[in-house]
Amino acid sequence: QVQLVESGGGLVQPGGSLRLSCAASGSMFRSYTMGWHRQVPGKERESVAGIGSGGSTNYADSVKGRFTISRDNAKNTVSLQMNSLKPEDTAVYYCCVVVGAKVYWGQGTQVTVSS
């Protein structure tokens, strides 16, 4: 059973920064693709960033150059550094892990960008 717990959300002013972290259970963590998605009420959940087992990364066009995803396999964590935040980044952010054909999700953490 894979369990994911996010932390680090909160309220930040436009232009500010936040760092989200996700702690994962499981001994095979290093073998899995990890990612961050976000969702606002009334809209579909969208992919923000992903990182493969080998460290390759991909980003949504809307966050390229502002967000950085990273992983620490020794600590079973994946992080999302978010800089130059905009009001449109406001959403619930979810950590996820892909295990074969199944995707596991964390409970989500709220990020609000507002002055």
Side-chain angles (χ1 to χ4, degrees), residues 87-109:
E88 51 263 44
D89 294 318
T90 295
V92 177
Y93 283 70
Y94 297 90
C95 173
C96 66
V97 59
V98 181
V99 182
K102 189 169 177 64
V103 181
Y104 294 88
W105 298 94
Q107 82 285 356
T109 185

Side-chain angles (χ1 to χ4, degrees), residues 44-99:
E44 292 187 357
R45 192 171 296 187
E46 64 172 359
S47 176
V48 175
I51 184 165
S53 58
S56 61
T57 59
N58 60 82
Y59 298 92
D61 288 342
S62 59
V63 306
K64 281 181 181 176
R66 300 187 298 122
F67 291 11
T68 302
I69 189 171
S70 61
R71 66 192 299 164
D72 185 336
N73 290 334
K75 296 182 179 179
N76 279 10
T77 59
V78 60
S79 299
L80 186 68
Q81 177 65 42
M82 306 186 294
N83 299 328
S84 302
L85 283 161
K86 304 175 181 179
E88 51 263 44
D89 294 318
T90 295
V92 177
Y93 283 70
Y94 297 90
C95 173
C96 66
V97 59
V98 181
V99 182

Side-chain angles (χ1 to χ4, degrees), residues 11-17 84-86 112-115:
L11 173 65
V12 64
Q13 292 186 342
S17 299
S84 302
L85 283 161
K86 304 175 181 179
T112 301
V113 185
S114 175
S115 56

